[in-house]
Amino acid sequence: MKEDGKVLARRFALPICEDLSVYPLVQANIQLIPYAFAKQKVLLPLEQTECGITVATCNPLDLESLEELRLFLQKSVQSVYCSKAVIEAAIEKCYRQKDGEAKKLFSDLAQSKPFAQKEESLEGYDLLEMADQNPVVRMVNTMILEAIQQGASDIHLEPGENEFLVRYRIDGALLRRDAPPKETQASIITRIKVMAKMDIAEHRLPQDGRIKLRQGGREIDFRVSTIPTVHGERIVLRILDKGNVLLGLEKIGMDEKTLRAFRKMIRAPEGIILVTGPTGSGKTTTLYSALSEIISGEVNVITIEDPVEYKLPGISQMNVNPRIDLDFAKGLRHILRQDPDVIMIGEIRDKETAEIAIQASLTGHFVISTLHTNDAPSALTRLADMGIEPYLLSSSILGVLAQRLIRCICPQCRINYTPSSEELAELGIKKDDLSDGNLFKGSGCEHCYGSGYKGRHGIYELMPMYSKIKAQVVKSADAQELRRIASSYRFLSLFEQGCQLAMRGLTTAAEVLRVTRIAQDDSDG
């Protein structure tokens, strides 16, 4: 029977370490050996002294690798035992791309101008393995790594007349970043198109593709889109990092009251729940989080999406495919022949899809889907405008959840200030309602890249189909009247929830107004 590494360490009297962050080489992110060697052998130098190098290993019997390390470093090696997971985490930290590396690389390459590009695809390789890569590949890798490390959801590459603009969408806002030299534009675009398996000879038509890469132990997918512009092809890479997705209703920022009501709603055996909001407001994450609570061996869950962004265990997921005439409506008809209990529809875009979803809910299926509207009451108005009969809406829809993602103040540079009377009036709050009469904002620091914001928090308005709302829908699906009736049930709007977060110091007044102004203007009529 194979012995555990820790047992072997004790037998050989090796020191056992649980935390590698206390060692100087790890603290300073110093890289004495190539990343590929450290990753393959699971070895990491920790400390350098006159006596030699202290190295972490998870396999005390791997003397051959320790000897290779000794020969490479030309110094004696003393090993300590540490678990594989802890060593791998420390390796990723040590070899993490340094801030400003993109700027330095672009500057160096602009001077040397070595922009010849071989058109080989390296899809699936590790982004941290930078050695021996040609300059264009290094530029693309550095850009992608920087975006991932800064928590970006999208990378925008925008050709201009005299520049090649690079912007990252971080916490919902587009922020400009260091750009590569203009003369590298064609090579970088070609490189990304090769990686995404696009036609590199086609520059006149929009194209879509996908890339699968690794960063250390993490697999990261990218959805790539190109469109032709007057100054060249514009590219957007949507970063689909499964490691950043927090699935689970308790993790997405719902307040307790909304969470209790929504959880009760998703346990219904039949009916429709709609999640509304603009693109990038977290609707898909909410749908997946709801499904993660429903999934069990006794329930048949099938989804149809455009596209499937994250693969969930225990359910069947289908992509729409316009090239073969597989749209939401057609896919939904076939799903109904698969004996489903729960159906998730990526988006209701037309009357046909809406009618099939409603019929499914009326025949014993639970349906959850998204709709593009500004607030919860407007979802019913939108479906009525599509031509859905009001009595069908009142009998099939269980509730509507509208949501937004609001940026949080960076905790490292958070400061308080006294708001003006105009600012308080815009929020509809009084100075006496505030703690010490103050609101909060971020002054900008290196942790938030000068934006004053770090991370995002969900805000939600949940409108269950109360009896009075059902009666009003049959009479007239007017959004203003539906909102008035919902308010009598202590319905909190997106704007009101945002104001509460600002009063608690979690976000800023400006951010609340930015994110909820459209919904608030609509509700004001």
Side-chain angles (χ1 to χ4, degrees):
M1 183 178 178
K2 189 176 180 180
E3 290 189 76
D4 179 75
K6 186 178 282 191
V7 173
L8 289 170
R10 290 197 182 101
R11 176 183 293 184
F12 299 144
L14 286 183
I16 296 174
C17 184
E18 305 290 346
D19 180 13
L20 299 183
S21 63
V22 298
Y23 286 93
L25 296 182
V26 178
Q27 288 178 342
N29 291 357
I30 294 175
Q31 306 157 6
L32 296 183
I33 58 177
Y35 171 75
F37 182 83
K39 182 184 173 186
Q40 180 185 357
K41 305 295 185 180
V42 197
L43 293 173
L44 184 64
L46 305 174
E47 189 173 19
Q48 192 168 203
T49 65
E50 293 179 359
C51 300
I53 306 282
T54 302
V55 179
T57 179
C58 65
N59 183 4
L61 295 178
D62 190 7
L63 302 179
E64 185 178 341
S65 295
L66 290 171
E67 177 62 15
E68 286 182 50
L69 186 62
R70 185 189 68 78
L71 293 171
F72 179 82
L73 296 173
Q74 292 294 299
K75 290 191 176 183
S76 62
V77 171
Q78 296 88 41
S79 58
V80 300
Y81 171 81
C82 190
S83 70
K84 183 179 181 182
V86 173
I87 295 175
E88 288 178 338
I91 289 172
E92 302 310 321
K93 177 185 179 300
C94 281
Y95 290 82
R96 179 186 175 94
Q97 181 172 288
K98 297 179 178 65
D99 292 339
E101 190 165 322
K103 183 176 183 178
K104 181 178 183 301
L105 176 62
F106 295 158
S107 176
D108 292 345
L109 292 176
Q111 295 172 19
S112 59
K113 302 184 185 296
F115 304 134
Q117 163 72 352
K118 292 188 293 182
E119 293 179 0
E120 80 281 9
S121 173
L122 297 178
E123 180 175 333
Y125 71 99
D126 199 312
L127 285 164
L128 293 174
E129 294 176 0
M130 293 286 193
D132 301 324
Q133 293 172 354
N134 73 47
V136 171
V137 173
R138 287 182 63 207
M139 267 195 284
V140 172
N141 286 2
T142 300
M143 196 186 310
I144 292 173
L145 260 178
E146 183 179 68
I148 293 169
Q149 290 174 183
Q150 293 185 12
S153 60
D154 302 85
I155 303 171
H156 290 241
L157 305 177
E158 306 168 27
E161 185 176 0
N162 300 310
E163 65 177 349
F164 187 34
L165 184 64
V166 176
R167 295 194 290 175
Y168 302 159
R169 188 174 294 280
I170 300 175
D171 295 331
L174 274 174
L175 303 176
R176 189 164 179 166
R177 286 295 178 258
D178 298 304
K182 173 69 175 175
E183 55 264 37
T184 66
Q185 175 181 312
S187 297
I188 288 176
I189 289 172
T190 299
R191 171 61 189 167
I192 293 173
K193 289 173 73 173
V194 167
M195 294 170 72
K197 294 184 170 64
M198 295 178 176
D199 182 355
I200 62 172
E202 178 57 73
H203 305 287
R204 302 164 301 168
L205 295 173
Q207 296 188 63
D208 294 306
R210 292 184 78 97
I211 301 173
K212 187 185 289 290
L213 298 174
R214 295 195 311 274
Q215 185 201 5
R218 294 158 62 192
E219 280 197 0
I220 302 173
D221 290 342
F222 299 81
R223 228 169 52 217
V224 186
S225 170
T226 72
I227 60 169
T229 71
V230 293
H231 297 300
E233 289 177 280
R234 188 185 194 279
I235 294 186
V236 174
L237 292 89
R238 166 62 59 88
I239 302 172
L240 305 173
D241 185 358
K242 298 175 186 176
N244 283 341
V245 179
L246 297 175
L247 295 184
L249 293 176
E250 72 285 346
K251 297 176 183 176
I252 61 176
M254 279 188 186
D255 62 279
E256 288 187 18
K257 182 181 176 183
T258 303
L259 180 58
R260 282 197 304 271
F262 190 66
R263 271 192 166 138
K264 182 179 179 182
M265 210 176 278
I266 65 173
R267 296 296 176 187
E270 58 189 52
I272 298 178
I273 294 176
L274 296 172
V275 180
T276 79
T279 301
S281 60
K283 300 187 299 296
T284 303
T285 301
T286 299
L287 294 184
Y288 284 163
S289 296
L291 290 182
S292 69
E293 298 211 356
I294 296 171
I295 294 170
S296 74
E298 300 174 353
V299 179
N300 181 18
V301 182
I302 305 179
T303 77
I304 179 165
E305 306 169 57
D306 183 21
V308 173
E309 292 191 5
Y310 301 102
K311 295 171 185 174
L312 298 179
I315 68 175
S316 301
Q317 296 171 270
M318 179 195 299
N319 268 316
V320 300
N321 191 342
R323 293 179 182 176
I324 56 173
D325 196 30
L326 177 60
D327 56 15
F328 280 111
K330 189 172 184 179
L332 195 49
R333 287 195 194 92
H334 288 280
I335 285 174
L336 290 171
R337 297 170 192 160
Q338 294 284 314
D339 186 30
D341 298 299
V342 177
I343 303 169
M344 184 189 107
I345 306 168
E347 184 185 347
I348 293 178
R349 298 175 179 171
D350 51 50
K351 181 182 179 182
E352 188 178 11
T353 306
E355 285 178 336
I356 300 170
I358 287 171
Q359 290 302 322
S361 71
L362 293 173
T363 52
H365 303 89
F366 177 75
V367 180
I368 186 167
S369 183
T370 72
L371 197 65
H372 277 283
T373 61
N374 289 327
D375 57 16
S378 298
L380 301 175
T381 308
R382 172 100 169 94
L383 289 172
D385 289 345
M386 282 184 184
I388 305 300
E389 292 292 339
Y391 74 90
L392 290 175
L393 296 177
S394 65
S395 57
S396 62
I397 294 179
L398 300 170
V400 184
L401 179 76
Q403 67 179 76
R404 297 287 191 280
L405 290 175
I406 201 162
R407 290 186 293 174
C408 299
I409 299 171
C410 173
Q412 303 295 329
C413 60
R414 181 174 174 266
I415 58 173
N416 59 19
Y417 71 99
T418 302
S420 65
S421 55
E422 292 81 7
E423 193 173 3
L424 291 174
E426 280 193 294
L427 293 175
I429 58 179
K430 298 176 182 178
K431 196 167 185 177
D432 295 340
D433 297 331
L434 302 176
S435 174
D436 299 325
N438 291 325
L439 287 175
F440 297 85
K441 63 182 179 180
S443 59
C445 66
E446 61 180 11
H447 297 281
C448 59
Y449 309 102
S451 69
Y453 296 98
K454 188 73 173 176
R456 289 192 287 178
H457 192 286
I459 54 173
Y460 304 87
E461 62 177 30
L462 179 62
M463 188 183 76
M465 289 293 283
Y466 300 113
S467 56
K468 289 183 180 179
I469 291 178
K470 288 184 178 182
Q472 177 59 38
V473 168
V474 173
K475 192 188 303 180
S476 168
D478 178 71
Q480 302 303 322
E481 187 60 24
L482 291 172
R483 178 172 288 280
R484 187 192 65 77
I485 295 171
S487 297
S488 67
Y489 289 95
R490 296 183 180 178
F491 168 83
L492 280 181
S493 69
L494 290 167
F495 177 73
E496 290 167 330
Q497 292 223 3
C499 288
Q500 289 185 358
L501 294 183
M503 291 168 67
R504 285 166 46 194
L506 194 66
T507 190
T508 64
E511 180 68 2
V512 173
L513 294 170
R514 181 186 74 84
V515 170
T516 66
R517 189 180 293 278
I518 294 176
Q520 179 67 4
D521 290 346
D522 286 352
S523 66
D524 289 342

